[in-house]
Amino acid sequence: MSDPDSIGADLIPRIPFEDFDELLRESLRPKVERLGYCGEIWQVGANAPKSTYYFCELTEALKEEMDTKTVELVALTAAGIMGNSYERNQHERLADKLGYGRDWIAQVNELQAEKGRHMTDAECAVQKFVIASILRRGHDCAAIFKEVIAAVGPEQATGVLFSVGRCVMHAIFRNTLGLEPPVDSLFEEKK
């Protein structure tokens, strides 16, 4: 869903990984080595190395504090609502690698929070909140958030709040600049 009128590619230079600020480069090195590439979002973000570093640190902290499947659920849901194929495609692949199954990933991508198929009741509560919080910009979401707290507890629910914000930041960055996904969707692979 690239914006053909995006001027980000013309205005924001892409910094090669080897030229990143040292702290940012070392923070991202394990990810770049694991994936085999440095995503364009980081090449742009390297123009603001301290902010990008702390964005990366937030991402890692959320992965440490939250249940991994919940992290993937929030990322896939937010990416779907925000039209962020860059992040959706990467998280589809990660969720598949983590063994959550393509049926679960496909159901999450439907953005229906439908109980009784591949998602648990708790996962449906989280997805329902993520959708509402983005579409309503956080307004009038307390009742739905209470369901999340009841389903996953206050610690995980707090992580969900931060994770939604992190995913919206990523989407606005990506969508504004019209960055192309570095990988295809699991469901659009070329045969």
Side-chain angles (χ1 to χ4, degrees), residues 154-166:
E155 295 85 2
Q156 292 293 301
T158 302
V160 168
L161 287 172
F162 277 115
S163 192
V164 169
R166 179 236 167 259

Side-chain angles (χ1 to χ4, degrees), residues 21-28 42 45-46 48-60:
D21 170 85
E22 184 178 356
L23 186 63
L24 178 60
R25 186 178 59 245
E26 292 313 309
S27 172
L28 284 171
W42 306 124
K50 188 177 268 188
S51 297
T52 303
Y53 170 79
Y54 284 110
F55 180 83
C56 294
E57 290 298 303
L58 172 62
T59 300
E60 294 308 311

